[in-house]
Amino acid sequence: MLPDVNHLETDVLVLGTGGAGLAAAVAAREAGARVMVASKMGPDDPNCTVVGWGGITYATEAHADELFRQVVETGGFLNDQRLVEQFARQVPQRVAALTDLGVPLEVLDEADTRNRLGVTKIVGQGRTTGFGLTRPLRARAEALGTRFIDHLMISTLLVVQGAVVGAAGVDLRSGQFVTLSAGATIIATGGGACLWTRTDNPPGTTGDGIALAYEAGAELVDLECVSFTFPRSRFEELLHSGGRDPEPFLSAGGAHYFLGGIRIDERGRATVPGLYAAGEAAGGLFGAGRLGGSALADTIVFGAIAGENAAAFATSTPRPRWDATRTDQERARLEALLSGSVPAAEVTAGLRSLMWRKCGLTKAARSLEEAREEVAELESRRADLGASSVAGLREALECGFMLTLARLIITASLRREESRGAFWRLDAPEPDNARWVRNIVLRREQGEDCLEVHTPVMARLKEPSQPRIGPGCFDYLP
Ligand SMILES: Cc1cc2nc3c(=O)[nH]c(=O)nc-3n(C[C@H](O)[C@H](O)[C@H](O)COP(=O)(O)OP(=O)(O)OC[C@H]3O[C@@H](n4cnc5c(N)ncnc54)[C@H](O)[C@@H]3O)c2cc1C
C-alpha cells in the first residue's frame, strides 16, 4: 500500500527541471502565476541539459532571417514554420536574459574563426554550457517563490472533460501518492534516447512526458525523426547497405536526440486544453534535423513561451471539477505494480536491444515489421510488470512509457518510406520531396493509435530544397 494521498494545488505545474522546465517556471512565475515544478530526479542528478556542453545557437536580430532559413533547410522542410519564426525572433532576448542571470556565456560573432558563417553562436565557458545555465535558472525560480518537488515520479496526467487538470505520481523516497491540481500543466520532461541500448543521454531520458501526453489525448508529430550519432566516414556505407546485414554497424554510434514529440503551436500549447510542452519533449520546431546548439536554445525560448502562455491560461480560465475517481484508479494501478511478477529491468533490456537492432541506425521495412512484432510481444507482458520497492516504481513506469513510444516510433517509421535528415530507411535511402514533405501525426482515439499525414505549416519558405541526410545534428550551412 502507498501511504496517504498528498494533494497539492497550483496555477502552473511544470514537469521537469532541465532547461525547458526551469525557463518555463521562471517565465510563469514572472507572469504572476503560482508555480510548482516536479522532477523524478534529485537536484544534482544529471538530465540532458546538465550534460549538454557544445554551445547555444544564437542570432542577432539582423541575422534572424538567416537563422530561420538554416533551421528550415536543416529540418528538411518538415518544420512548423510558425515555431521557427518564434525561435529565430526570440533567441536574442531570451539569451540576453540568461546572461543577466549570470550564466557564463561567450559570444562568437560572425568574425570569429571558431564560428560558422551567417549566425552568431554562443558557447559556455569550458564545457559548462548546459550545467552553467541550470543553476542560475533554478536559483532565479526559487527566489521568485517557485515550489520544487524533487524525486516525484509523475505517472499520469489527469484529464477531466477533455482538459488536462493536473497530474499524479509517487514520491520515490517516501512512497506517498501525490496528486497535483493545476490550471495548466507544462511537459518539459525531455526526449527518450534511452529507448536504445546505445545512447549518449543520461539514464532516465525515457520519453515519459511524450507518452503521458499521448495517453491524455495529445497529438505527437514526427516521432520517427530521432537523431543518432554515427561516424561520418561510415555513413554512406550504412545508408546504401540496404539493411541486409546490420551487424557491422551496430557497434558504432548511438541515439542522441528526439526531433519529434508533442505537437505544439507557437504559444507552446499541445492539442489538449490545459496542456503545454517545451524543449526536447515537444516536436515540430526542428523537423527532420537540427543545427548543433539549437536544442539548448529551444529549451530557453520555448520554455519561456510555454511558461508565459500557461500562466495566462491558468489565471484566466475556470477549471473543470477535480475527479477523485480517476486519482483513486491511478493509486490502485501503482499499488498493483508493487505486486507485479515481471521484472521491468528484463523487459526494458529486451526493448532497448530490439530498438537498437531493428529500429535504430538500421531501419528497413523488414526489420521494422520484426520490431513491431517483438514490441507487441513485450507489451503483452505489460499488465504484469512489477517493482520490488517504491524506488523501483520509477523503472517500471519508465518501462511502460518506453513500450508506448517504441510502438509509435515503429508505426511512424514504417509509414515514412524515404530518408530525410536524421531519418534513414535503408530500403529507401533517397529523400522523396514529392511524397514526403509531410508530417506524421499520431493521436490516441478510443484506445486505438490513429495516424494521419499532414502538410507542414510553410508560412514563409514554400519551395522545399533537397534535404540533407546525416546524423540529424548538423553544422551550420554555408
Ligand atoms: C551528451 C549531450 C550533449 C549535448 N550537447 C548539446 C549542446 O552542446 N547544445 C545543444 O543545444 N544541445 C545539446 N544537447 C541536447 C540538449 O542538451 C537537450 O536536448 C536539452 O537539454 C533537453 O532539455 P529539456 O529541458 O527538454 O530536458 P532534460 O534536460 O532532459 O530534462 C528532463 C527533466 O524531466 C524530468 N522528468 C522526466 N520524466 C519525468 C517524470 N515521469 N516525472 C517527473 N519528472 C520527469 C527529469 O527528471 C528532468 O528533470 C546535448 C545532449 C546530450 C545528451
Side-chain angles (χ1 to χ4, degrees):
M1 284 287 287
L2 299 172
D4 274 353
V5 177
N6 182 11
H7 183 70
L8 303 166
E9 199 158 333
T10 187
D11 294 327
V12 175
L13 171 64
V14 180
L15 309 183
T17 51
L22 294 172
V26 168
R29 195 72 197 101
E30 284 178 344
R34 294 172 300 156
V35 181
M36 275 184 199
V37 184
S39 168
K40 67 182 176 184
M41 299 180 188
D44 296 320
D45 295 333
N47 52 38
C48 279
T49 304
V50 170
V51 303
W53 58 270
I56 300 182
T57 302
Y58 173 74
T60 58
E61 277 163 40
H63 291 110
D65 287 345
E66 176 59 17
L67 180 59
F68 183 98
R69 180 185 74 84
Q70 294 206 16
V71 171
V72 174
E73 290 189 0
T74 306
F77 277 76
L78 298 193
N79 325 59
D80 180 332
Q81 293 187 19
R82 293 169 306 179
L83 305 185
V84 185
E85 182 77 35
Q86 292 289 342
F87 179 73
R89 299 276 159 219
Q90 294 203 20
V91 144
Q93 91 205 45
R94 303 294 185 188
V95 170
L98 283 184
T99 32
D100 290 348
L101 289 181
V103 175
L105 295 171
E106 182 190 357
V107 176
L108 311 182
D109 64 22
E110 306 107 82
D112 195 306
T113 51
R114 290 170 294 167
N115 202 357
R116 298 296 179 115
L117 197 74
V119 294
T120 311
K121 187 170 179 176
I122 284 188
V123 290
Q125 288 166 6
R127 288 167 67 102
T128 62
T129 313
F131 179 66
L133 66 85
T134 49
R135 287 267 161 111
L137 272 173
R138 182 158 174 150
R140 171 72 178 152
E142 280 170 346
L144 287 166
T146 303
R147 176 165 176 193
F148 282 86
I149 313 171
D150 295 311
H151 304 285
L152 176 58
M153 176 78 194
I154 298 297
S155 61
T156 193
L157 297 177
L158 298 168
V159 182
V160 176
Q161 293 165 20
V164 171
V165 296
V170 59
D171 183 320
L172 295 168
R173 287 173 307 180
S174 68
Q176 194 168 44
F177 180 64
V178 180
T179 57
L180 302 121
S181 162
T185 301
I186 302 175
I187 304 239
T189 47
C194 289
L195 258 159
W196 289 267
T197 307
R198 292 178 64 98
T199 176
D200 63 0
N201 281 205
T205 315
T206 44
D208 305 9
I210 304 173
L212 286 168
Y214 184 74
E215 281 157 12
E219 289 181 353
L220 308 181
V221 63
D222 295 339
L223 222 57
E224 72 283 11
C225 295
V226 177
S227 164
F228 287 87
T229 56
F230 191 65
R232 204 164 274 279
S233 56
R234 301 206 60 197
F235 183 67
E236 286 299 318
E237 199 189 332
L238 167 68
L239 203 59
H240 295 286
S241 69
R244 281 175 296 278
D245 178 17
E247 287 307 321
F249 304 104
L250 294 180
S251 59
H256 176 62
Y257 183 85
F258 262 43
L259 291 147
I262 302 164
R263 191 168 181 224
I264 56 165
D265 68 7
E266 65 273 33
R267 291 195 213 167
R269 292 182 294 197
T271 53
V272 173
L275 188 64
Y276 294 73
E280 200 172 328
L285 170 63
F286 292 130
R290 68 173 179 86
L291 297 170
S294 56
L296 288 171
D298 168 30
T299 67
I300 298 309
V301 172
F302 276 95
I305 289 175
E308 286 164 3
N309 286 289
F313 179 85
T315 52
S316 65
T317 314
R319 294 184 203 184
R321 250 163 42 116
W322 184 253
D323 180 0
T325 325
R326 182 65 189 84
T327 55
D328 290 348
Q329 284 167 352
E330 183 61 6
R331 186 179 179 185
R333 183 177 80 94
L334 297 186
E335 283 171 352
L337 279 176
L338 286 170
S339 52
S341 57
V342 174
E346 195 181 298
V347 175
T348 299
L351 180 66
R352 298 178 77 209
S353 164
L354 86 85
M355 288 299 280
W356 180 243
R357 285 179 288 109
K358 300 188 170 170
C359 183
L361 295 175
T362 59
K363 282 190 284 287
R366 201 188 58 188
S367 73
L368 289 167
E369 290 290 1
E370 288 168 4
R372 178 149 74 178
E373 279 172 30
E374 289 179 40
V375 169
E377 168 68 25
L378 291 175
E379 281 207 281
S380 70
R381 304 170 75 192
R382 191 175 183 147
D384 299 318
L385 277 179
S388 55
S389 65
V390 164
L393 280 173
R394 173 173 152 184
E395 191 172 28
L397 290 164
E398 288 176 347
C399 180
F401 295 137
M402 287 193 285
L403 282 168
T404 300
L405 287 187
R407 186 183 77 239
L408 297 175
I409 291 168
I410 293 164
T411 302
S413 299
L414 270 164
R415 189 63 187 266
R416 184 174 290 285
E417 291 171 324
E418 63 150 5
S419 293
R420 176 178 304 269
F423 181 79
W424 316 326
R425 273 280 299 259
L426 306 185
D427 53 351
E430 301 299 329
D432 181 351
N433 272 0
R435 286 179 61 223
W436 280 112
V437 180
R438 298 283 186 277
N439 297 125
I440 294 182
V441 174
L442 287 155
R443 180 178 64 249
R444 193 169 169 81
E445 242 177 48
Q446 293 171 345
E448 298 289 322
D449 298 334
C450 169
L451 182 150
E452 283 174 6
V453 177
H454 291 198
T455 302
V457 178
M458 293 199 234
R460 276 171 59 190
L461 295 181
K462 299 175 198 291
E463 297 294 330
S465 53
Q466 189 67 357
R468 289 203 274 181
I469 305 175
C473 191
F474 293 96
D475 289 338
Y476 290 81
L477 298 168

